[in-house]
Amino acid sequence: MVLAGIRSLLATTLVFGAAFAYPASAQDHGELAPYVMLRSLQFVQDSVVLGDHSAAEMQRFMLERVDQRFRAANPSIFEDPRNVDAALIYAMSGGNPATLEFLAARDIAGNFDSRIADALRKYLSGKGTLVAKSLGEMAKEYRDEKIGPYLSLVSGNVMVATDPKDALVFYDWARLTAPGTIIEEAALRRSVAITVDADMVEQALSYARRYARRFIHSPYASQFADFFVQLVVGHFGEITEEDIDGALEFMDVDRRREVFLRVARAAAIAGKNDLARLASAKVEALSGNPTPEALARLYGGLADIPTNDIRAAMQAISDIPEETLSPRDRALREAAKVVAEQVVGWPTAESLAQEKPINMTNTEDAKSPVASPRNEIAGPAATTEDPTAGAAAKFDPAFQTYVDSGRSKLNAIDEMLKEENPSK
């Protein structure tokens, strides 16, 4: 991180020197060429995804200064193809889309490839799917040029919705031709997302390992963590403990603990108890902080509720200090307590009372067995909106009260879980 800070400082010095060397209305004679300024912008953006978050402010500043430089430039400056490439790359790097429109409209000399300018204008205005095919063709045509990796990334972006596997091909090319850059970071992160959603487990693990080794300090790494948790929870068993450790081994302790904590929570909610216990144990082994340790005990305790040690599990999560839990984790703990109480609670003596025998009025009916609640539920009553309604009507009042109480508690659990996971 010290080295990254020094590199950022050097880039900042270069940028400020370039930025203030000219007034916005000045002529181009003796000024820094746009493609040189763009290199500084690229350096700053790459520094951000490699972990130098202090460069984020400089990135915003550079985007503004490069925009001013392009708008003030004499059209003749674009006779140099490096400046044309710089303008296109700027537009694909978070720059002002209106600036590309401005430059293309002034291009009476034909320095810009009008096909690319038109396709990028549509892409930047949210109509990329209309030019997906032509963008893909141009990405292949310009594959060995400076703009090649950027066109490959853009082509992948517009193809995700219609052909995710083709998008992966473009993302692979983008990252392989621009290693260590913001292009590789974006391509890898989006490749993880595609393969996780498509249940391509082996490929997803491969992309995840690469991302975790190269860009875990990126400000966008939280998105990667979401996809990785989804992958592990959804495919644990096919994905082993060794696979998880192998993907996370290059992370620092804090980030590894955070990922394991998120896995433990998601697994506990999904009922993947073995994974919840495993991830919770990993958190506790890595923990030196009381809050993650408390959360690990909570998620591990939730996983232990269905076991023979339910009382010990409930005691463990009840002992967790209230202040270490967020409101949603407190709700999760309360839901777990209600479930455990229902499991270990004893019915009242009245609820065990037998139903009174039915008086038979003819001999044929007398030969039939007495109908039990189970038989009634399995018969016609099971087709009603509430399967227990017909049977419960013949129970003694105490048992009916017990059933109603249990149902209300289960409804309360459902409401808590809806608050916990509103997308369900």
Side-chain angles (χ1 to χ4, degrees), residues 10 13 47 52 96 102-103 113 127 143 170 180 188 198 202 210 220-221 246 248 277 292 294 317 334 361 383 407 423:
L10 290 173
T13 302
S47 298
D52 185 5
N96 183 359
F102 171 78
L103 296 176
D113 186 331
K127 301 176 182 177
R143 182 163 283 178
F170 283 105
L188 267 178
E202 185 177 346
R210 289 186 176 93
Y220 310 110
L248 305 183
R277 282 189 285 270
I317 68 174
E334 291 307 311
T361 57
T383 63
R407 186 181 298 118
S423 64

Side-chain angles (χ1 to χ4, degrees), residues 28-276:
D28 291 317
H29 180 68
E31 292 176 0
L32 206 60
Y35 77 87
V36 176
M37 292 187 68
L38 184 84
R39 287 176 183 171
S40 296
L41 172 63
Q42 290 173 309
F43 180 87
V44 170
Q45 289 181 325
D46 296 342
S47 298
V48 171
V49 297
L50 291 173
D52 185 5
H53 296 179
S54 65
E57 280 295 325
M58 180 55 62
Q59 174 181 267
R60 286 187 284 272
F61 175 80
M62 276 302 300
L63 284 168
E64 293 176 4
R65 301 305 293 180
V66 171
D67 185 73
Q68 292 176 14
R69 181 69 179 98
F70 278 124
R71 285 180 172 271
N74 189 302
S76 64
I77 204 170
F78 295 106
E79 294 174 3
D80 185 341
R82 293 175 296 181
N83 289 325
V84 175
D85 287 345
L88 297 172
I89 291 172
Y90 163 76
M92 292 184 279
S93 300
N96 183 359
T99 297
L100 178 60
E101 189 88 33
F102 171 78
L103 296 176
R106 297 176 65 200
D107 180 37
I108 59 175
N111 294 316
F112 285 78
D113 186 331
S114 59
R115 299 171 304 154
I116 296 180
D118 182 63
L120 288 181
R121 285 200 297 269
K122 286 185 172 61
Y123 168 72
L124 295 169
S125 65
K127 301 176 182 177
T129 53
L130 300 177
V131 291
K133 183 178 179 181
S134 58
L135 270 173
E137 292 170 351
M138 286 184 284
K140 294 173 183 176
E141 179 182 344
Y142 282 87
R143 182 163 283 178
D144 298 322
E145 304 295 332
K146 294 289 185 182
I147 63 173
Y150 292 87
L151 283 176
S152 293
L153 183 68
V154 167
S155 297
N157 291 347
V158 299
M159 288 187 177
V160 167
T162 57
D163 196 337
K165 290 188 178 179
D166 263 6
L168 284 176
V169 174
F170 283 105
Y171 286 149
D172 284 346
W173 189 260
R175 66 185 181 81
L176 291 172
T177 53
T181 67
I182 192 171
I183 295 294
E184 184 190 12
E185 191 276 342
L188 267 178
R189 177 163 39 88
R190 292 166 189 174
S191 296
V192 173
I194 289 174
T195 49
V196 169
D197 286 342
D199 293 328
M200 301 164 64
V201 178
E202 185 177 346
Q203 296 93 323
L205 271 175
S206 177
Y207 287 126
R209 291 189 194 101
R210 289 186 176 93
Y211 190 95
R213 291 176 184 180
R214 298 175 67 78
F215 296 108
I216 200 58
H217 297 288
S218 165
Y220 310 110
S222 181
Q223 292 180 18
F224 159 75
D226 290 337
F227 298 134
F228 185 75
V229 170
Q230 181 183 340
L231 174 68
V232 172
V233 174
H235 298 279
F236 187 62
E238 185 177 356
I239 293 176
T240 65
E241 179 181 353
E242 290 73 22
D243 291 329
I244 301 171
D245 288 339
L248 305 183
E249 64 181 336
F250 287 93
M251 293 185 185
D252 57 61
V253 171
D254 288 342
R255 285 175 174 78
R256 240 182 319 166
R257 182 172 57 229
E258 172 64 21
V259 172
F260 277 124
L261 191 61
R262 292 167 74 167
V263 169
R265 189 174 194 281
I269 292 172
K272 302 291 183 72
N273 298 325
D274 289 342
L275 176 59

